[in-house]
């Protein structure tokens, strides 16, 4: 301080003022206590001193780690049990074929019967022990009962709240519990310690504000981590980012609450202590108002939370997508300015930036156009769009990417809509048994969805206008999501689907049947309950259902189809043209990618031919064949949706469409369309069509609680219930499965009844 005074002008007042500011700044940060310190400052140093307030940020970190470890441990327990059960079943299948089977000499017709049967029923000694079907750790009754108790509580959905026109949908009870635990922790950790304020603001910032501020800053790495499609939380817990996103939103709301608790005490203390506030302002040297940096950080946080409210996000979704990430970056930048690395607050922000960067870097491995060793590098895949009955759309994408049953991808088609990127469930199975016509290393990724509005409506209109032979560039982001558990480790599996919810079940069903045939699945029976409006919807997955009927083990697949509407439509709809001025732009964008792909193929052909014109001509012919080999189906007359008026028949004679390729006729057992008299009858008046192999069809809606209770009588040790449908169906299934947890407690032969509910919109 003496050296500092020597370089200043010989002005006593100026030197005293500089010394005062410097001493106050040191006192503000380190709060030194000596004999000359006022009594109020001494008391403040003993009651939650500012220099030790970093512990509140660490408190939030410890809570988050505990919740993360709990979810990870639960996942590891289930994953270990599933793997052990499946491995033991495979081993039993192998042993039964080698140890318990008669040797070749016993299989001769002249061999005596008792010599072959004594291996199974020996004449002397005890019978062979039954092979173990369950691992010891997965059959611990107290542990299974505790898990079942939690499921009995958390499987129940929270009823939606309607206030006038406002419709509030709450998260699941599991997410609500996590949010409630976090909220209670933050409130108690902020308001229980004392004091809230010092006697004077000149002694330091209000402790209440500092506690809330440190917690809010410590939340940032977790909020960003929960928002990313590729994140470490999903890697550890197996929970998809689409399910973690609800915690991301509520974490943001909680961060805003703590930020407000951090802000308000400063204004209250400044209003009460005017003299101390003038001294407090001397602690900071920037030219702006004392609270400017805090306001600069609070405003973008408030904007992020407000425009992410469900009704606003739905109303202006495209604006939400365009602004959310840039405003988030501004918010993090303002936090760096506001925190000024006090109490090592920048450590949390550095962790936030690191998580953000690593997540985006890892996401490059999920994009189909970022791998330079694939043909889709920088140009995406080639795709075809096919119209299905009931106005459905099928997008076929031959790709080298791999996926698991039940996963979904984000699809972008620049030739249709350059900026839009939407998620769709993969309806096909990625297996060596189903190679693509593009080549052995390709698999057909099939996406089936209905056109409602926005991107899906544009795809439909473009397919109608361009015809079935038009191909489009497709950029894929994924796959993501999927079921956490291994479905093949359950004794029974029950599928519930509502309408287009069958897309999330088709690949699961095919994969399960394949594993059952290969002896890799513990599953004995599979039941499918599909509620659909009209029988024409069955055409979507006609081939998949045929495979189920013909290739599944005997008496293992039972399907029940419920036709909820009986009216059929035979006339064509009038396609609406929703983008008359954008065709030229989108066509040019699509042609650019197609041109790059064509040049790349041409260069590869020339290099492979090595100057041989005959070989080059042959390769070019093969290339043309591979392009036209994408589903060259003829445009079938689409059905028009409910509420649309049919288009009047044209006077001009239309050329008859060539007959489609012959396909095997497959009877699903549907009765004929009911007459007008039958439509007026009650549901019980219909006689359901039941086939001898367990496949049945009836009109009306399924009574889900009754059906599940009846099926539960035959449940084995472990049962999986998979549902993908509208909210009403998911609610009925979840409530019923929650009630069925009583069977786990009361029946020693049942260890688990597991529920997986898939979002209908994905």
């Amino acid at each position: 301080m003496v050296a500092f005074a020597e370089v200043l002008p010989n002005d006593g007042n100026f030197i005293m003022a500089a010394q005062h500011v410097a001493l106050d700044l040191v006192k503000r940060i380190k709060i030194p206590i000596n004999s000359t310190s006022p009594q109020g400052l001494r008391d403040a140093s003993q009651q939650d001193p500012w220099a030790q307030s970093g512990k509140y940020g660490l408190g939030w970190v410890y809570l988050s780690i505990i919740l993360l470890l709990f979810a990870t441990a639960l996942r590891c327990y289930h994953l270990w049990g599933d793997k052990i059960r499946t491995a033991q079943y495979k081993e039993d299948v192998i042993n039964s074929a080698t140890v318990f089977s008669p040797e070749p000499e016993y299989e001769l017709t002249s061999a005596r019967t008792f010599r072959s049967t004594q291996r199974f029923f020996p004449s002397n000694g005890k019978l062979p022990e039954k092979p173990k079907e369950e691992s010891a750790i997965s059959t611990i009754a107290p542990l299974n009962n505790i898990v079942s108790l939690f499921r009995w509580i958390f499987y129940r959905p929270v009823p939606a709240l309607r206030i006038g026109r406002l419709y509030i949908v709450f998260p699941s009870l599991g997410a609500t519990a996590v949010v409630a635990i976090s909220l209670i922790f933050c409130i108690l950790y902020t308001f229980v310690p004392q004091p809230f304020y010092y006697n004077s603001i000149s002694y330091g910032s209000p402790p209440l504000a500092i506690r809330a501020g440190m917690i809010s800053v410590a939340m940032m790495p977790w909020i960003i981590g929960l928002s990313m499609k590729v994140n470490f939380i999903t890697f550890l817990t197996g929970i998809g980012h689409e399910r973690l996103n609800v915690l991301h939103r509520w974490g943001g709301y909680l961060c805003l609450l703590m930020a407000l608790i951090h802000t308000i005490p400063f204004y209250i203390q400044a209003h009460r202590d005017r003299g101390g506030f003038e001294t407090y302002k001397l602690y900071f040297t920037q030219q702006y108002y004392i609270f400017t940096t805090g306001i600069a950080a609070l405003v973008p946080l408030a904007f992020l939370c407000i425009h992410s409210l469900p009704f606003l996000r739905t109303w202006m979704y495209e604006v939400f997508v365009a602004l959310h990430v840039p405003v988030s970056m501004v918010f993090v930048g303002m936090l760096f300015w506001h925190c000024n690395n006090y109490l090592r607050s920048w450590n949390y922000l550095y962790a936030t930036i690191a998580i953000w960067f690593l997540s985006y870097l890892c996401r490059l491995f999920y994009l189909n156009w970022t791998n330079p060793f694939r043909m889709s590098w920088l140009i995406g895949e080639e795709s075809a769009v096919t119209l299905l009955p009931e106005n459905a759309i099928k997008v076929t994408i031959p790709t080298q990417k791999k996926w698991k049953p039940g996963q979904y991808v984000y699809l972008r088609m620049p030739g249709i809509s350059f900026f839009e990127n939407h998620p769709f469930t993969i309806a096909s199975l990625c297996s060596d048994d189903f190679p693509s016509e593009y080549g052995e290393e390709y698999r057909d990724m099939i996406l089936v969805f209905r056109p409602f509005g926005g991107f899906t409506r544009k795809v439909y209109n473009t397919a109608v206008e361009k015809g079935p032979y038009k191909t489009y560039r497709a950029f894929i982001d994924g796959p993501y999501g999927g079921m956490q558990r291994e479905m093949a480790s359950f004794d029974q599996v029950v599928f519930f689907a509502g309408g287009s919810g069958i897309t999330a079940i088709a690949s699961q069903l095919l994969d399960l049947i394949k594993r059952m045939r290969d002896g890799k699945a513990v599953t004995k029976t599979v039941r499918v309950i599909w509620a659909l409006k009209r029988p024409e919807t069955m055409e979507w997955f006609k081939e998949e259902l045929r495979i189920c009927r013909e290739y599944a083990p005997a008496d293992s697949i039972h399907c029940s189809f419920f036709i909820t509407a009986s009216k059929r439509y035979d006339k064509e709809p009038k396609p609406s043209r929703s983008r008359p001025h954008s065709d030229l732009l989108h066509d040019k964008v699509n042609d650019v990618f197609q041109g790059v792909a064509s040049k790349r193929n041409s260069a590869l052909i020339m290099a492979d031919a090595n100057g041989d014109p005959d070989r080059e001509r042959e390769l070019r012919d093969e290339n043309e064949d591979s392009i036209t080999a994408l589903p060259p189906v003829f445009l079938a007359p689409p059905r028009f949706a409910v509420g649309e008026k049919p288009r009047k028949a044209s006077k001009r004679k239309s050329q008859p469409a060539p007959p489609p390729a012959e396909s095997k006729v497959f009877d699903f057992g549907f009765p004929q369309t009911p007459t007008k008299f039958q439509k007026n009858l009650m549901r019980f008046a219909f006689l359901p069509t039941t086939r001898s192999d367990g496949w049945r069809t009836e009109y009306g809606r399924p009574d889900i609680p009754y059906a599940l209770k009846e099926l539960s009588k035959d449940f084995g040790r472990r049962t999986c219930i998979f549902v993908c449908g509208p909210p009403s169906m998911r609610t009925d299934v979840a409530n019923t499965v929650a009630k069925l947890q009583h069977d786990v407690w009361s029946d020693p032969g049942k260890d688990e009844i597991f529920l997986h509910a898939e979002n209908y919109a994905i």
Side-chain angles (χ1 to χ4, degrees), residues 678-690:
Q678 289 175 323
K679 295 176 185 178
N680 298 325
L681 295 178
M682 298 295 293
R683 175 189 170 192
F684 59 81
F686 289 93
L687 295 177
T689 302
T690 306

Side-chain angles (χ1 to χ4, degrees), residues 286-297:
Q286 64 254 36
Q287 58 182 341
Y288 300 103
Y289 181 59
I290 190 65
F291 299 141
T292 301
T293 59
I295 296 175

Side-chain angles (χ1 to χ4, degrees), residues 20 68 77 84 124 145 204 209-210 227 269 308 330 355 396 444 519 549 648 657 715 739:
H20 179 72
L68 179 62
Y77 167 72
I84 290 296
N124 299 321
N145 291 338
I210 297 302
S227 68
Q269 186 80 345
S308 64
V330 173
I355 292 174
T396 304
D444 285 337
R549 282 280 296 273
K648 294 183 179 180
F715 283 173
K739 296 176 181 178

Side-chain angles (χ1 to χ4, degrees), residues 471-525:
T471 58
Y472 308 87
R473 306 311 299 180
F475 292 84
I476 302 170
D477 180 8
Y480 300 108
M483 185 174 167
Q484 303 176 37
R485 303 289 299 278
E486 187 172 347
M487 190 172 290
S489 65
F490 291 92
D491 298 309
Q492 283 86 22
V493 177
V494 181
F495 291 107
F496 284 92
S500 58
I502 192 67
T503 57
I505 292 176
S507 60
Q508 296 273 16
L509 185 59
L510 289 177
D511 180 71
L512 189 58
I513 290 176
K514 184 176 183 302
R515 289 175 177 270
M516 292 168 63
R517 286 184 58 86
D518 295 344
K520 299 178 180 179
V522 183
T523 310
K524 303 298 187 300
T525 58

Side-chain angles (χ1 to χ4, degrees), residues 53-61 63-64 182-193 207-223 251 254-259 261-262 335 339 343 345 348:
S53 297
K55 62 183 179 182
Y56 296 104
L58 292 176
W60 170 263
V61 174
L63 172 67
S64 303
S182 303
L183 176 61
I184 294 172
F185 172 84
C186 291
I187 295 299
L188 294 179
Y189 210 37
T190 301
F191 286 94
V192 170
L208 175 64
I210 297 302
R211 292 194 290 266
M214 289 307 302
I215 293 176
S216 63
V217 173
M219 289 181 180
M220 289 305 302
W222 301 92
I223 293 175
L254 185 56
C255 182
L256 177 61
L257 174 63
M258 302 309 294
I261 297 176
H262 168 72
L335 278 182
C339 295
L343 300 174
S345 55
Y348 300 108

Side-chain angles (χ1 to χ4, degrees), residues 405 427-431 433-434 446 487 495 502 504-518 526 528 541-549 551-552 557:
S428 56
L429 182 63
C430 182
S431 172
D433 296 335
F434 301 97
I446 297 177
M487 190 172 290
F495 291 107
I502 192 67
I505 292 176
S507 60
Q508 296 273 16
L509 185 59
L510 289 177
D511 180 71
L512 189 58
I513 290 176
K514 184 176 183 302
R515 289 175 177 270
M516 292 168 63
R517 286 184 58 86
D518 295 344
V526 180
V528 180
F541 297 100
K542 180 178 180 180
E543 181 64 19
E544 287 77 0
L545 291 175
R546 184 188 66 81
I547 293 175
C548 295
R549 282 280 296 273
Y551 294 98
I557 305 295

